[in-house]
Amino acid sequence: MANTAQLLRRQSSRDIILKSQKSIDQLELREMRGRLVPKEHHGSGTHHHHHTTHHHQPMYGATNQAFLGDAFDESTELEPDAFGAEASTSKSKAELAAAVSATVEAQQEDIVEGEKEGEERESWDNKIMFLLATIGYAVGLGNVWRFPYLAQKNGGGAFLVPYFIMLCIQGLPIFYLELAVGQRLRKGAIGVWSQVSPYLGGIGISSAVVSYIVALYYNTIIAWCLIYLLHSFESPLPWADCPTRLYANYTYDHEPECVASSPTQFYWYRTTLQCSESVNEPENFNYHMAISLIVSWFLVYICMVQGITSSGKIVYMTAIFPYVVLIIFFFRGITLKGASEGVAHLFTPRWETLLDPVVWLEAGTQIFFSLGLAFGGLIAFSSYNPANNNCYRDAILVSLTNCGTSMFAGVVVFSVIGFKATSTFDRCNEERESLLSQNKTTNLPVCDLQKELANSASGTGLAFIIFTEAINQFPGAQIWAVLFFLMLFTLGIDSQFGTLEGVVTSLVDMKLFPNLPKEWIVGGLCFSCCLISMCFANGAGSYIFQLMDSFAGNFPLLIIALFECLSISYIYGVRRFSDDIEMMTGSRPGLYWMICWKYLSPCAMITILIASFYQLLTEGSSYPAWIAAKGMTDKLEWPHWCIVIAFVLILSSILWIPIVAILRLCGIKVVEDSDPAWFPVAELKEVHGIVPHEPTEIERTVFCFNMDGTEGMCCPKYGLPEKSLEEEE
């Protein structure tokens, strides 16, 4: 779809060429009308009475770079015989362009002096960069190490039924909502929800807090990947065999703890994590882990310090490389013995599981967290887009790409797991036959291929234990290990960009540190996270990680997303939100999307929250602790101090929502009111030919739309003021 400002500049170009006799002052005026919009008093929105400028504050230029460019870059639009010769046309065009550009820039500097810096906003260099950054943010480690486990555990192919149903009624609508609201209001999460209503500023603060907490522990995974990536260059791989121990009588033997478990388990729990036997026993400081955490935070800082322009370019590598590695592993995996059994085990449907409510709960939870909703990162990313970007198409494309990646990763993972299970099954049969050949009929090993296939793990266990054990059996295992852990590293770091971007954008928009440049804010965030993350560099560090992952990155996000949906549906108003989307994209959201925003999505999230709390209260919560004497993990209940920390983490994220609203009612402003961002309302309506929407009978019945423009169960009086098309024209 053509850029609005470009269309206006094309018209200006034609006018200049056809009416070249006009003075330079007239040309300047025409150019400024195409590029500038007035800003009203009191932050009441963009006003477009161009002929009554005495009512307005000075005129501000388009801050998004996608709206800026050479005013005369469309040479094909010019008539070559306007001056009788193409050469003279080009020369006149260049002279006029230079004169107009210089004069407009000079006048803009005079007009917005002292305020232009605050009005400027970064922008994506191109649409591909935005899509790659958003895909990289949404597609993360959960697609590779959680979806395959959930699918095989919860009914195989049957799991796809609740998975896609929850995608349609919860994942896609909220994803679409966040992209659209960020693009329309052109601020970070705090600025957006404060704009919707001053009483809702707490939603943005909650998003920023939970993003900070999640980024704090999520970077630990990147540190683990760096450790494994570094050791992947060793030959043989350090997790391929058990280490040896020197005894007092100068004899060597394999480490008993490793023999009792496996080389990959021992390397993960004892060498990498240096696990203690419970969360109450932190034991020694893990220097290797501490160094890796410092390096990983430094890499995140380097990638983000220049803002989205820099990190956007990095996503060309971080977003594309995981797909390259997945494709390589796919072709390697399907050629392995047992790959077909592994894939069949993943997708063979067990329809009886659909009657289990836990399956639906886990499908909804996986969709929600897989898309990265409620962090504020999507709102921040979309706020840098052109105002006429098709956010609907982006939401569909990124969401389907995310789900397609999950299924493709499932095929890759279970083709390799099928190979590992088949190898174990064959060795078991060989041992059994060997014992039978020796006429031994007691204590025979039981060989079960389906049991081996089901013996997969979720999360870190799948990546650092199960998959590495399979890679050990590949020829050229070092190459495959390097590719695998480099893929995990890139998957993790570009999700980290989006998570931290939500925090950074919110801090910048709130102007908490108005005298600090953005790179200092990024540096402060990364440094503070690096210091706090040292709590993961000890024997109990992995247990603290699991505690934060189970609570801090779980319930708060669901609650925040619920309030986002309710705020748009019942405060801002579904009708006004649909008008905004129609103005930006040229097409109005269908009835389905409005029903999801107002009814289905909130109900789905409330159901998941209630079911999750019920499950937590009835079944409790535990963590797998490594027991060295047994060479295996054992389930332990969280101690009371961990439960207290879990509640503190949850409440520190979500309490901002009621606190900000209550303080606002008392006249105390936690989030200062800010003027609406520049937005070309009249230009977009003119380009798309928008006319006031007449509510249909279904809309009036289902959504309580009234003929006077109000909406049932809505109070759209705290956000941007609604104006009729006649008023704005």
Side-chain angles (χ1 to χ4, degrees), residues 264-277:
T264 52
Q265 280 185 304
F266 180 82
Y267 188 83
W268 169 242
Y269 287 111
R270 299 298 288 167
T271 305
T272 304
L273 301 180
Q274 299 180 13
C275 271
S276 59
E277 295 200 351

Side-chain angles (χ1 to χ4, degrees), residues 51-116:
H51 302 293
T52 58
T53 56
H54 61 280
H55 292 298
H56 305 286
Q57 291 180 0
M59 302 174 75
Y60 289 78
T63 56
N64 192 304
Q65 294 299 316
F67 287 96
L68 302 178
D70 296 332
F72 306 98
D73 58 352
E74 302 292 338
S75 57
T76 56
E77 301 280 349
L78 306 177
E79 299 179 15
D81 57 348
F83 289 102
E86 186 174 351
S88 62
T89 300
S90 301
K91 183 177 180 181
S92 301
K93 179 190 70 173
E95 292 174 351
L96 291 171
V100 171
S101 179
T103 308
V104 170
E105 287 177 5
Q107 292 188 6
Q108 277 185 301
E109 288 178 4
D110 294 337
I111 292 170
V112 301
E113 184 177 2
E115 294 185 31
K116 182 177 179 181

Side-chain angles (χ1 to χ4, degrees), residues 479-530:
I479 297 175
W480 297 105
V482 168
L483 284 175
F484 179 68
F485 291 111
L486 192 57
M487 177 189 72
L488 292 185
F489 171 77
T490 53
L491 279 172
I493 202 165
D494 56 6
S495 294
Q496 186 78 332
F497 293 158
T499 305
L500 275 179
E501 187 63 44
V503 184
V504 174
T505 305
S506 296
L507 291 177
V508 171
D509 287 347
M510 281 185 71
K511 297 181 174 61
L512 287 180
F513 310 100
N515 298 322
L516 282 181
K518 188 174 180 179
E519 52 267 25
W520 282 82
I521 297 176
V522 174
L525 278 175
C526 292
F527 181 73
S528 63
C529 285
C530 186

Side-chain angles (χ1 to χ4, degrees), residues 206-228:
S206 293
S207 291
V209 172
V210 76
S211 295
Y212 181 84
I213 295 173
V214 170
L216 175 65
Y217 73 80
Y218 193 83
N219 210 56
T220 307
I221 304 173
I222 300 175
W224 292 337
C225 293
L226 285 176
I227 292 174
Y228 269 75

